[in-house]
Amino acid sequence: MATIKDVARIAGVTVTTVSRVLNNRGYISEATRKKVYDAMEELNYQPNEIARSLFRRKSNILGLIVPNVSHPFFAEFANYVEYYAYEAGYKVLICNSYQDSVKEKDYVEMIKRNQVDGIIMGSHTLETSEYLIPELPIVALDRNFGNNIPFVTSDNYQGGLLATNLLIDKGCKKLAHISGPLELSTPANKRYQAFIDVVNSKGVDYIIKEAKLDIFESYEKLAYSLLNEHPDIDGIFASSDMIAASIIHVANSIGKKIPDDLKIVGYDDINLSYLIVPPLTTIKQPIKEMGELSVKLLIEQIEEKKKTAIENILPISLVERKTT
């Protein structure tokens, strides 16, 4: 197996010069760089990435921890994180926590052992703040951990206002809001708070239900329970498009016509939202921009380019389709 000494001998340069080429350190002329690359190709030399990362104290790998990568929102987010990380010269290690704090902690420890340069934390467990690593760059998605950890979110309160007001403006008299787990105290809870503020200010009757995060099979059960117990509900604001899709399925199965009998607004505008029948009215989160900004903020910390903003709230928009 070829070694760095063999590359230096074939290229006619010193081992130090080869090392500088491999690690992109210091000035190297293009002619010298070409000689080293040609020698590497001739010898089929593969640099030892682990050794290089230990030498540089940098692996150019980012960790991404999400609750469930099969969830369309997190799948789209992970896709954009990988794209923008690769564009910036980084690769991504994706970890599925499945809402398990023990598994999540194991992933954080693994990330530390494998010299990952930083973490984008899409975690939603209660215990996460107990084992965040102060010395490791972190960006949180939809979670304010405090401790000067930057986080990226959308304008959830404005999204809640738009969704709730739309249902009322469309003539709904009794509303329901299906939120995520409120005890997690995430920025997404502002969707719930906006709903409460609007219905109270306008004197509209309402029901609140909480859905377990990313437990798909529970969404339909919750929807059946809600519509059977409260058949007079004529408008629902769901805190995610996946919950909204489950409500549409249940409404169709029990003979409720959408939007005549029941109007529905979702949240996220995942790629599937316009394929649902009928196509879903929803609040569009800028998932692409959230992925891009998360990568940018993390790399700023890793490379210490500039002071990173802690609170990063991106604008949302209403996308009206056929469920309202």
Side-chain angles (χ1 to χ4, degrees):
M1 182 180 293
T3 67
I4 193 171
K5 290 182 180 179
D6 296 326
V7 173
R9 177 174 53 78
I10 295 295
V13 298
T14 65
V15 169
T16 300
T17 298
V18 175
S19 177
R20 287 168 63 193
V21 170
L22 293 176
N23 292 286
N24 199 26
R25 294 169 63 89
Y27 172 76
I28 302 289
S29 71
E30 286 305 313
T32 299
R33 195 180 300 274
K34 185 177 185 307
K35 282 195 287 187
V36 171
Y37 285 147
D38 287 346
M40 288 170 59
E41 185 175 357
E42 180 181 336
L43 295 168
N44 194 27
Y45 174 74
Q46 300 295 324
N48 186 325
E49 290 294 335
I50 295 175
R52 285 175 62 190
S53 68
L54 289 171
F55 174 76
R56 295 177 297 168
R57 296 185 179 275
K58 192 167 181 290
S59 65
N60 284 81
I61 298 174
L62 308 180
L64 171 61
I65 302 179
V66 295
N68 191 340
V69 78
S70 70
H71 188 289
F73 173 83
F74 291 110
E76 290 181 35
F77 179 76
N79 175 62
Y80 289 120
V81 166
E82 190 280 332
Y83 175 83
Y84 287 108
Y86 192 82
E87 286 284 296
Y90 289 79
K91 294 182 175 64
V92 178
L93 175 65
I94 300 176
C95 307
N96 256 333
S97 72
Y98 292 110
Q99 298 304 109
D100 182 337
S101 60
V102 174
K103 186 173 184 182
E104 209 166 78
K105 187 172 183 177
D106 285 344
Y107 273 135
V108 172
E109 294 300 324
M110 181 196 73
I111 283 170
K112 288 165 63 179
R113 291 193 301 271
N114 284 273
Q115 300 290 315
V116 169
D117 296 333
I119 303 175
I120 296 173
M121 182 71 81
S123 156
H124 288 80
T125 66
L126 292 171
E127 298 86 354
T128 304
S129 59
E130 296 175 10
Y131 52 81
L132 293 175
I133 314 120
E135 67 272 15
L136 186 67
I138 294 172
V139 171
L141 173 68
D142 269 337
R143 190 79 186 268
N144 184 0
F145 290 120
N147 300 320
N148 293 320
I149 294 173
F151 67 94
V152 174
T153 188
S154 69
D155 193 342
N156 292 282
Y157 190 81
Q158 179 64 16
L161 292 180
L162 288 175
T164 311
N165 279 313
L166 177 66
L167 291 169
I168 294 172
D169 291 344
K170 293 288 185 176
C172 296
K173 302 300 182 186
K174 184 173 182 178
L175 301 184
H177 174 51
I178 302 179
S179 72
L182 296 174
E183 76 274 10
L184 294 180
S185 189
T186 69
N189 287 359
K190 292 183 179 179
R191 304 170 197 175
Y192 159 83
Q193 190 57 55
F195 176 85
I196 292 295
D197 289 348
V198 172
V199 292
N200 284 336
S201 68
K202 297 190 175 183
V204 176
D205 195 11
Y206 68 92
I207 300 291
I208 299 291
K209 293 283 186 179
E210 288 187 44
K212 294 181 180 179
L213 189 67
D214 302 332
I215 310 297
F216 301 138
E217 55 269 25
S218 72
Y219 294 166
E220 281 194 14
K221 186 176 179 181
L222 189 153
Y224 272 114
S225 170
L226 176 67
L227 295 176
N228 284 327
E229 293 172 13
H230 304 277
D232 54 339
I233 286 173
D234 55 2
I236 299 178
F237 169 32
S239 60
S240 78
D241 290 346
M242 292 302 293
I243 295 174
S246 296
I247 296 166
I248 291 171
H249 176 72
V250 170
N252 288 333
S253 71
I254 63 175
K256 281 189 176 289
K257 295 180 180 179
I258 301 170
D260 297 340
D261 301 328
L262 181 65
K263 295 176 173 58
I264 303 167
V265 180
Y267 206 102
D268 288 336
D269 196 31
I270 57 176
N271 288 332
L272 290 173
S273 59
Y274 73 95
L275 297 174
I276 298 168
V277 180
L280 179 64
T281 294
T282 188
I283 302 299
K284 180 180 179 63
Q285 288 206 83
I287 304 175
K288 174 176 177 287
E289 289 78 7
M290 292 169 79
E292 181 179 16
L293 182 57
S294 297
V295 170
K296 177 177 177 290
L297 295 174
L298 190 59
I299 292 175
E300 282 179 1
Q301 292 181 74
I302 293 167
E303 299 182 356
E304 299 180 344
K305 287 184 175 180
K306 64 177 183 179
K307 186 173 177 60
T308 303
I310 302 300
E311 184 179 80
N312 300 272
I313 302 175
L314 297 178
I316 49 78
S317 59
L318 172 65
V319 180
E320 190 167 1
R321 297 190 180 101
K322 300 297 184 181
T323 59
T324 47

